[in-house]
């Protein structure tokens, strides 16, 4: 929810207002300590499809973490996708902490990945 991101200094007021008025969900990436806007979607189905496309960018994943503020049916297609495409990856599903919900909004959903290090180095 961009109104939460605006309140916490991560988004501009006009952007938050228009996004909320149109009922859009914003997708951000976290790179370093920066939130970078990527896309806006109308419902959670395109959001899950975005997550699947994101996961497809990796060859081997060690761990996939899925965080959401509520238990929703949107996670079922993601569960199936991960099982089919990354059978050896650890797949964790957790409920967002109250801190995350205050920072990002009550309907926060996120995906985090840890890629296998194929160089043999300890990461």
């Amino acid at each position: 929810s961009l109104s939460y991101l605006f309140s916490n200094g991560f988004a501009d007021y006009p952007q938050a207002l228009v996004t909320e008025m149109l009922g859009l969900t914003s997708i951000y990436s976290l790179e370093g300590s920066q939130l970078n806007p990527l896309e806006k979607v109308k419902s959670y189905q395109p959001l899950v499809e975005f997550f699947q496309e994101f996961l497809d960018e990796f060859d081997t994943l060690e761990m996939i973490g899925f965080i959401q503020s509520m238990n929703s049916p949107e996670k079922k297609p993601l569960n199936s996708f991960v099982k089919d495409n990354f059978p050896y990856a650890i797949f964790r599903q957790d409920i967002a902490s109250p801190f995350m919900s205050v920072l990002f909004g009550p309907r926060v959903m996120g995906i985090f990945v840890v890629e296998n290090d194929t160089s043999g180095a300890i990461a």
Side-chain angles (χ1 to χ4, degrees), residues 44 47 51 64-72 75 78 91-98 100-101 104 107-112:
Y44 278 107
L47 178 61
F51 287 161
I64 302 165
F66 180 62
I67 296 176
Q68 59 184 350
S69 59
M70 61 190 142
N71 198 4
S72 64
K75 73 178 185 179
L78 191 60
F91 184 48
R92 287 200 42 130
Q93 299 177 64
D94 293 307
I95 301 296
S97 68
M100 267 186 103
S101 296
F104 296 107
R107 294 177 36 179
V108 64
M109 193 179 288
I111 195 159
F112 302 88

Side-chain angles (χ1 to χ4, degrees), residues 27-75:
I27 302 172
Y28 283 83
S29 69
L30 180 63
E31 297 174 22
S33 61
Q34 286 287 96
L35 279 178
N36 299 311
L38 297 176
E39 196 170 317
K40 290 181 176 55
V41 294
K42 188 71 175 161
S43 69
Y44 278 107
Q45 179 60 32
L47 178 61
V48 171
E49 290 169 6
F50 185 90
F51 287 161
Q52 291 173 346
E53 290 173 14
F54 172 73
L55 291 172
D56 271 339
E57 294 179 18
F58 299 94
D59 292 326
T60 56
L61 291 176
E62 186 174 323
M63 178 183 265
I64 302 165
F66 180 62
I67 296 176
Q68 59 184 350
S69 59
M70 61 190 142
N71 198 4
S72 64
E74 284 81 13
K75 73 178 185 179

Side-chain angles (χ1 to χ4, degrees), residues 115 117 120-123:
E115 194 170 16
D117 182 13
I122 297 174

